[in-house]
Amino acid sequence: MPQQVQAVIAPGKDEPVRVETIVIPDPGPGEAVVKIQACGVCHTDLHYKQGGINDEFPFLLGHEAAGVVETVGEGVTDVAPGDFVILNWRAVCGQCRACLRGRPWYCFDTHNAKQKMTLLDGTELSPALGIGAFAEKTLVASGQCTKVDPEVAPEVAGLLGCGVMAGIGAAINTGQVGRGDSVAVIGCGGVGDAAIAGARLAGAAKIIAVDIDDRKLETAKKMGATHTVNSRATDAVEEIRALTGGNGADVVIEAVGRPETYEQAFYARDLAGTVVLVGVPTPDMKLELPLLDVFGRGGSLKSSWYGDCLPSRDFPMLVDLHQQGRLDLAAFVTETIGIGDVEQAFARMHDGDVLRSVVVF
Ligand code: APR
Ligand code: ZN
Ligand code: ZN
């Protein structure tokens, strides 16, 4: 029987979000209905609401979520009703060239639930990042569910579904930060702070946090930054070089998504160092660098897409580290809120007041 539940909808470009009743179909082949327990508010939800991603309104927002599988459709064997899961927005196909080459994080054919959730009048909803989890329940592909230790607090677990995984993965998967490395992170919002936490986990010796806001630098210290640089007050590249014996950092992670910060990252790395771009640029942005510098500086320039994560490998591992007290995921949760407070949470996020607001159900 299709079910009716409460959910947060973005009805049209730049319109305030609304709590509405939506209809969830029974799971079809390869699908699962998940009872959501917590879902973080991410910048991408705001971008959907602003029409910055596409214009397929109405959107069902929310995509950083954890909950319990309620029912599964035909052929689902990877999860079962009662499993506690973190949702991911990239269920990989296992068959494309990237998957077959053992690099499924580049999968060309990720998929979501085939059936549509709707409003009461039958209008089809576009779920944010193929999830749509500011809802009491949601419909996903079973491959979007990763089982983790059910003892973990849902509001903490859900964060691994997007921003925190992107940041930690930028450091440990894409940047391949190793023991003793020097790491600089430019931009210390939720993603940059997670990159700092990831660099600490990986055993980096020096972790330099760069931001233009002193409040962010204070939080970055709590996440593991050993040095901080306010790039409004000083030249970030010179400071990073000075802090690394004149060389530059082994790994520089850009977590803003702007040409000027990418350029800083490029020049702040050691000659053989790695630059990781995890901040998401807008389509109009361009980067201009002297080609001779690209040639002469060696090293590598990489982008990190969802932290190059493999949910089934990375989510349970990070939950375990959190449960053991070795990774403080709770530090990312500034506040827990109700389903009716998402619009307000967007405003607070826009003002830089929160790392994460998390809707709890
Ligand atoms: N130099 C250094 N830091 C900057 C600069 C700058 N020129 N401009 C902004 N910042 C800082 C902000 O002060 C803030 O602390 O970058 C941080 C950005 O953080 P958030 O806005 O909280 O964004 P976050 O969720 O961390 O995402 C960062 O990664 O995944 C992407 O789409 C996401 O592009 C975004 C980026
Ligand atoms: Zn694939
Ligand atoms: Zn997100």
Side-chain angles (χ1 to χ4, degrees):
M1 276 278 286
Q3 308 186 57
Q4 297 186 3
V5 302
Q6 299 294 296
V8 179
I9 306 299
K13 190 170 161 60
D14 275 331
E15 286 175 35
V17 300
R18 290 206 288 260
V19 176
E20 294 216 17
T21 304
I22 65 165
V23 181
I24 317 264
D26 285 338
E31 294 175 343
V33 169
V34 178
K35 194 167 186 302
I36 303 298
Q37 294 179 322
C39 181
V41 181
C42 173
H43 275 84
T44 307
D45 294 305
L46 181 59
H47 290 164
Y48 272 110
K49 171 187 124 118
Q50 293 168 332
I53 300 201
N54 62 51
D55 57 3
E56 290 162 14
F57 289 97
F59 291 109
L60 167 56
L61 298 180
H63 60 275
E64 283 189 357
V68 174
V69 175
E70 187 183 68
T71 44
V72 297
E74 202 188 307
V76 172
T77 53
D78 42 358
V79 286
D83 285 348
F84 178 70
V85 295
I86 298 175
L87 301 182
N88 75 75
W89 38 272
R90 303 204 61 207
V92 301
C93 76
Q95 280 152 20
C96 72
R97 217 169 95 76
C99 284
L100 293 177
R101 290 177 81 206
R103 298 176 185 174
W105 51 92
Y106 292 133
C107 178
F108 310 131
D109 194 19
T110 58
H111 56 279
N112 310 123
K114 289 206 173 57
Q115 298 185 86
K116 291 286 186 186
M117 293 177 273
T118 65
L119 294 174
L120 283 176
D121 68 2
T123 306
E124 291 189 351
L125 294 165
S126 306
L129 286 169
I131 293 181
F134 291 147
E136 293 165 313
K137 294 176 188 177
T138 195
L139 176 79
V140 291
S142 71
Q144 292 180 270
C145 302
T146 305
K147 261 174 88 163
V148 298
D149 179 356
E151 295 297 314
V152 66
E155 62 271 25
V156 158
L159 298 188
L160 290 172
C162 184
V164 170
M165 183 68 246
I168 295 179
I172 64 178
N173 293 334
T174 318
Q176 296 276 305
V177 172
R179 190 167 59 234
D181 279 356
S182 57
V183 177
V185 177
I186 302 179
C188 302
V191 174
D193 277 344
I196 290 170
R200 172 156 74 177
L201 263 181
K206 205 168 269 179
I207 305 174
I208 305 164
V210 181
D211 205 290
I212 49 176
D213 182 339
D214 282 328
R215 292 176 305 168
K216 302 288 181 164
L217 293 172
E218 280 312 307
T219 318
K221 278 189 209 160
K222 296 197 186 106
M223 300 292 179
T226 57
H227 299 77
T228 59
V229 175
N230 185 324
S231 56
R232 200 159 252 162
T234 45
D235 183 317
V237 176
E238 277 177 26
E239 281 293 317
I240 293 167
R241 288 217 184 124
L243 288 165
T244 51
N247 300 316
D250 296 312
V251 181
V252 186
I253 297 166
E254 199 278 4
V256 185
R258 300 196 54 80
E260 59 272 25
T261 40
Y262 192 83
E263 188 172 327
Q264 285 171 350
F266 178 81
Y267 285 107
R269 80 186 200 281
D270 187 20
L271 280 182
T274 302
V275 180
V276 177
L277 177 65
V278 62
V280 182
T282 54
D284 54 303
M285 290 177 180
K286 289 205 165 57
L287 177 70
E288 215 175 307
L289 288 171
L291 195 51
L292 191 59
D293 286 354
V294 178
F295 174 75
R297 293 184 56 79
S300 62
L301 312 176
K302 294 170 135 182
S303 71
S304 185
W305 179 230
Y306 201 177
D308 291 340
C309 77
L310 288 178
S312 55
R313 175 193 67 189
D314 296 339
F315 291 177
M317 181 249 313
L318 294 170
V319 164
D320 286 348
L321 290 172
H322 169 75
Q323 292 297 78
Q324 296 159 8
R326 295 158 74 190
L327 169 66
D328 184 9
L329 293 174
F332 289 91
V333 182
T334 314
E335 59 177 4
T336 53
I337 60 174
I339 193 173
D341 304 327
V342 171
E343 188 66 36
Q344 218 178 319
F346 281 146
R348 295 197 65 196
M349 183 172 75
H350 181 265
D351 295 341
D353 292 340
V354 291
L355 269 184
R356 273 295 184 269
S357 306
V358 180
V359 177
V360 289
F361 294 87

